[in-house]
Amino acid sequence: MRNTVATGNSAKALDLSTVKNTSRPIAANEAAALWDVGDGVLNLELTTKSNALTQSSFDIFERAMDEIETPGSAFAALVIYSESPNFAAGADLKEFAALVAAKDWPTMQAFAQRGQDVLWRMRHAAFPVVSALQGAALGGGCEIVLHSSAVVAHEESYIGLVESTVGIVPAWGGCAGLLARHYEALGGTGEPAIAIERTFDAISGARTGARASQAKDLLFLRADDEIITDSAALFERAKDKALSLVGNVPAQPTLPFALPGEAGRAALMAKAPKDAGPHDLIVWDALAALLTGGAHGAAAGDAAETILAGEVRSAMALFKTAGTKARIDHMLATRQPLKN
């Protein structure tokens, strides 16, 4: 399906600006807006600086899902797209820093848990969710990508789970989502140790795909996710992709295996570089423990729930450390990671 708007005697691809100039949002707040873009498709537009994710962002995510899932709804698909240079540059570090400084741990935990709950709900939605990706999709932005039904990405996109650079672990389903992709890539059967190790290496090393094609190698994008070079076509291609998936949403990979527990954690940490900083080791140990199910592991069928709980628990424990506070403050001040 081609979506076009008239421009004199010619036509051009539909763009979000045209929709915004000729209609009002279904819902909007200081962090995001929800637009009816026609043909039964909603578009979720992030609107903060660098499209950083705040607590208010998730109000609009929930509203989008509620709109589509309401019986008799006129909507059948969701696109996540904005005309910003970046898709989503992760969670709002200023919000994190303020909560850490105030030691407002209940609000911090609620933020972490809500983000996970909302994005995990989106991951398992019966309707298609297509991320239209350009620029940076880092941290929480990468987690949105991992939980989408499909992605249309501009080649110059920059994608990765970089939470370790600020001293935390992905808490919005990124650990579970990437592990499921690595297990699926190995055939979805047999010993999960290789998938766990590759997931640990990617997250502990804050590996990123500097281009969309590299992100496929790192499994942040699927093999069949579309990569384009014309940014002007991104919104239209994503909408068309969402329409093509209505009634045929691809299944998300799962975690059908047991987690090894303490022995698995020790095996991952045994490979830590000799020159690792002291806080690196603290962050990596938390990551290793959550990916392997903690001291007692997890039975087959319980891995996803165990890892999701471990994500929030581990992130909260790390937020309370001096090393993580120093990393967040340094990143805000210099936009560069602190080695400690």
Side-chain angles (χ1 to χ4, degrees):
M1 176 181 294
R2 296 291 290 178
N3 311 294
T4 59
V5 291
T7 55
N9 295 323
S10 62
K12 67 175 183 178
L14 178 69
D15 59 69
L16 186 58
S17 291
T18 301
V19 174
K20 292 167 66 174
N21 289 335
T22 57
S23 63
R24 296 176 63 84
I26 290 174
N29 59 24
E30 69 276 12
L34 191 62
W35 300 92
D36 179 352
V37 295
D39 303 313
V41 179
L42 286 175
N43 186 84
L44 193 155
E45 176 196 24
L46 296 171
T47 58
T48 57
K49 183 179 180 180
S50 299
N51 287 350
L53 297 162
T54 69
Q55 297 180 73
S56 296
S57 304
F58 293 119
D59 292 339
I60 304 300
F61 273 87
E62 288 191 319
R63 177 64 182 275
M65 291 185 281
D66 290 345
E67 286 282 344
I68 298 172
E69 292 174 347
T70 297
S73 172
F75 301 108
L78 177 66
V79 170
I80 302 172
Y81 169 78
S82 76
E83 293 170 315
S84 165
N86 291 309
F87 176 76
D92 187 344
L93 281 183
K94 289 183 180 179
E95 189 166 2
F96 278 174
L99 292 171
V100 170
K103 296 185 178 180
D104 187 353
W105 307 127
T107 300
M108 178 74 82
Q109 175 140 356
F111 185 14
Q113 188 64 61
R114 187 181 185 207
Q116 185 186 96
D117 290 346
V118 169
L119 294 187
W120 205 251
R121 174 186 171 188
M122 186 185 82
R123 177 184 179 87
H124 294 289
F127 58 86
V129 178
V130 176
S131 286
L133 174 57
Q134 60 186 348
L138 301 174
C142 182
E143 288 175 295
I144 293 173
V145 170
L146 284 170
H147 300 320
S148 297
S149 310
V151 177
V152 179
H154 190 270
E155 172 62 4
E156 301 301 325
S157 300
Y158 186 66
I159 311 169
L161 294 172
V162 297
E163 284 87 347
S164 66
T165 63
V166 291
I168 58 172
V169 295
W172 294 341
C175 299
L178 187 60
L179 177 55
R181 287 203 178 181
H182 275 289
Y183 190 65
E184 180 184 57
L186 293 171
T189 59
E191 175 58 48
I194 295 174
I196 293 173
E197 181 177 350
R198 290 177 179 174
T199 303
F200 176 82
D201 289 346
I203 298 174
S204 64
R207 292 183 180 173
T208 56
R211 300 172 70 87
S213 52
Q214 294 174 1
K216 284 193 175 185
D217 295 335
L218 293 169
L219 304 189
F220 297 131
L221 296 180
R222 296 177 179 83
D224 58 354
D225 281 334
E226 184 178 359
I227 298 175
I228 66 174
T229 57
D230 180 6
S231 59
L234 188 60
F235 176 54
E236 180 181 16
R237 297 282 279 273
K239 180 181 174 183
D240 287 346
K241 182 64 176 180
L243 288 168
S244 76
L245 294 176
V246 173
N248 190 32
V249 178
Q252 292 280 6
T254 61
L255 300 172
F257 49 83
L259 299 176
E262 176 58 26
R265 183 205 66 79
L268 292 175
M269 291 304 295
K271 299 179 181 180
K274 301 296 183 183
D275 59 350
H279 200 62
D280 281 326
L281 292 175
I282 291 171
V283 175
W284 296 348
D285 190 62
L287 175 63
L290 79 87
L291 285 173
T292 55
H296 304 293
D302 295 334
E305 182 177 349
T306 300
I307 291 176
L308 291 172
E311 288 184 0
V312 173
R313 183 174 60 250
S314 298
M316 287 303 304
L318 290 166
F319 275 126
K320 297 176 183 179
T321 65
T324 290
K325 183 180 186 302
R327 287 191 179 191
I328 292 173
D329 291 344
H330 189 270
M331 182 67 78
L332 284 171
T334 68
R335 303 180 66 86
Q336 297 295 324
L338 173 67
K339 299 295 184 182
N340 62 353

